[in-house]
Amino acid sequence: MFILRQIGTVVARNARSKHTLPDLPYDYAALEPVISREIMNLHHSKHHQTYVTNLNAAEEKLKAAVEKGDVNTQISLAPAIKFNGGGHLNHSIFWQNLSPSKSEPSPELSSAINSSFGNLENLKKQLSAVTVAIQGSGWGWLGYEKQTGLLRIATCSNQDPLEGTIGLVPLFGIDVWEHAYYLQYKNVRADYVKAIFDIVNWKDVSERYRKATSH
């Protein structure tokens, strides 16, 4: 269970530094015209920072509860840790998944994509379809299934982390919370999802696949 792993992590790292907002590997305006400077600024410096701040606060409360043996408080903190921890994990991947520089999947990732989806275009179509269809807020993901060695498409509600809730190793995620696109694309989520494939950092996705398959 996600919360049990979190509790174990907190207990084991009493002296560990707090979570921090990761720097972007590019300027706020670097992904224009696909994602505007205004959206990137708000998304990174406000929304992601809030997840980090709230996760740190929840973990501090959890550490104190564990030390006191207060199981009720530990249980009550599970939703906050799942939501804010997932938000931090998801966005930390998302920023790296995007790039203003063009790239292509590695030969190894291309082979896996072809085995699971036929070709890259089929992957894009299938991932786009399920992501656009998410009801409310959430994420569309390309993930790696350790048990079968195959690539899978999945969706997660709200900020649920892919690996912590479904078990797939996250390779590429599409954020479809309204704050990720609404200022620019309004209610036309499909246009945003289509455009985001123009800024995919396939080098990063390929490296995540390499690490996932090397264990």
Side-chain angles (χ1 to χ4, degrees):
M1 293 289 291
F2 182 79
I3 183 59
L4 295 179
R5 290 200 299 273
Q6 284 291 325
I7 291 172
T9 299
V10 170
V11 173
R13 64 161 181 75
N14 285 339
R16 205 207 76 168
S17 60
K18 292 183 177 181
H19 302 285
T20 59
L21 181 69
D23 293 332
L24 291 181
Y26 39 74
D27 183 77
Y28 283 139
L31 302 181
E32 291 183 334
V34 176
I35 303 178
S36 69
R37 174 197 292 269
E38 183 180 14
I39 288 177
M40 288 300 299
N41 188 5
L42 289 170
H43 200 171
H44 177 257
S45 69
K46 303 299 183 183
H47 290 279
H48 191 170
Q49 180 61 66
T50 298
Y51 298 129
V52 171
T53 300
N54 290 341
L55 176 61
N56 285 329
E59 286 192 340
E60 283 297 317
K61 293 177 181 178
L62 179 61
K63 182 171 70 173
V66 170
E67 291 172 349
K68 294 177 181 178
D70 184 351
V71 177
N72 283 323
T73 297
Q74 294 175 45
I75 293 171
S76 72
L77 288 167
I81 292 176
K82 181 180 181 181
F83 181 77
N84 293 292
H88 180 42
L89 290 172
N90 293 340
H91 285 86
S92 296
I93 296 170
F94 186 59
W95 310 133
Q96 298 292 331
N97 274 173
L98 306 179
S99 174
S101 302
K102 295 290 184 181
S103 60
E104 299 292 335
S106 66
E108 294 77 14
L109 179 58
S110 291
S111 177
I113 290 172
N114 292 341
S115 296
S116 296
F117 305 102
N119 54 54
L120 181 58
E121 287 306 309
N122 283 340
L123 164 61
K124 292 179 180 179
K125 290 178 182 177
Q126 293 179 38
L127 180 54
S128 295
V130 299
T131 302
V132 171
I134 292 172
Q135 294 185 353
S137 301
W139 292 73
W141 288 100
L142 172 66
Y144 174 72
E145 189 174 56
K146 297 177 181 178
Q147 294 86 344
T148 63
L150 298 175
L151 300 180
R152 300 292 189 194
I153 288 173
T155 61
C156 291
S157 299
N158 299 314
Q159 292 297 352
D160 289 0
L162 183 67
E163 190 165 9
T165 55
I166 295 179
L168 300 177
V169 179
L171 304 180
F172 170 60
I174 303 176
D175 185 353
V176 288
W177 278 67
E178 287 189 346
H179 62 241
Y181 65 89
Y182 204 86
L183 289 177
Q184 190 171 350
Y185 294 89
K186 307 307 179 192
N187 64 327
V188 190
R189 179 187 283 180
D191 285 355
Y192 158 72
V193 172
K194 179 180 179 181
I196 208 166
F197 283 100
D198 291 335
I199 53 172
V200 176
N201 184 357
W202 287 111
K203 289 183 179 179
D204 180 67
V205 181
S206 297
E207 179 61 15
R208 292 179 189 279
Y209 177 71
R210 185 194 68 77
K211 290 180 179 179
T213 56
S214 64
H215 293 98

